[in-house]
Amino acid sequence: MTVYKFALANASFERSPGQQADVFAGNVLDQRHGGPVTVGFGRYGPNQILETTIAVHDTMVILEGRVSVTSNGETFNAGPGEIIAMQGGDRVTIRSHEKGAVTAYVTYPHWQETES
């Protein structure tokens, strides 16, 4: 089957690798499915900060709450229905706000393969 439909309930959340923040990722489509991208959901607790260098191209769609992404001295604020695209190699600080956030993401290539 090459057509999929996923809901937040399909995601099995795990803490983002190497992070202590209340930030979790849940892949629903990844290398196990044979395609080139990873698709999943992210969950950020209130007022969390994630500092990282993006290893893959990462497109984040904000579903609930608000996030701010700072890179190279510029901050991008986004809420429901907005998209933030980060490129591999970008050094970013991602911050959730007082109500936390739920996101959907697509990465290319698979982010888990870069974590090994």
Side-chain angles (χ1 to χ4, degrees), residues 58-77:
D58 188 346
T59 302
M60 178 171 50
V61 180
I62 292 69
L63 303 174
E64 298 175 12
R66 297 195 64 74
V67 298
S68 298
V69 177
T70 301
S71 182
N72 294 322
E74 191 170 1
T75 299
F76 302 88
N77 296 298

Side-chain angles (χ1 to χ4, degrees), residues 5-13 26-28 41:
K5 177 184 174 186
F6 300 107
L8 191 60
N10 299 119
S12 178
F13 288 96
N27 291 354
V28 291
F41 293 98

Side-chain angles (χ1 to χ4, degrees), residues 14-34:
E14 298 178 14
R15 187 177 303 277
S16 289
Q19 300 294 326
Q20 299 303 313
D22 185 13
V23 177
F24 297 85
N27 291 354
V28 291
L29 182 79
D30 56 27
Q31 60 274 12
R32 297 170 292 186
H33 297 86

Side-chain angles (χ1 to χ4, degrees), residues 63-102:
L63 303 174
E64 298 175 12
R66 297 195 64 74
V67 298
S68 298
V69 177
T70 301
S71 182
N72 294 322
E74 191 170 1
T75 299
F76 302 88
N77 296 298
E82 296 183 303
I83 298 170
I84 293 182
M86 299 166 281
Q87 303 304 302
D90 287 349
R91 179 79 185 145
V92 300
T93 300
I94 303 171
R95 182 175 67 87
S96 63
H97 295 264
E98 62 278 350
K99 294 182 181 179
V102 174

Side-chain angles (χ1 to χ4, degrees), residues 46-61:
N47 301 309
Q48 296 299 299
I49 296 174
L50 175 70
E51 294 179 327
T52 191
T53 299
I54 301 297
V56 296
H57 300 294
D58 188 346
T59 302
M60 178 171 50
V61 180

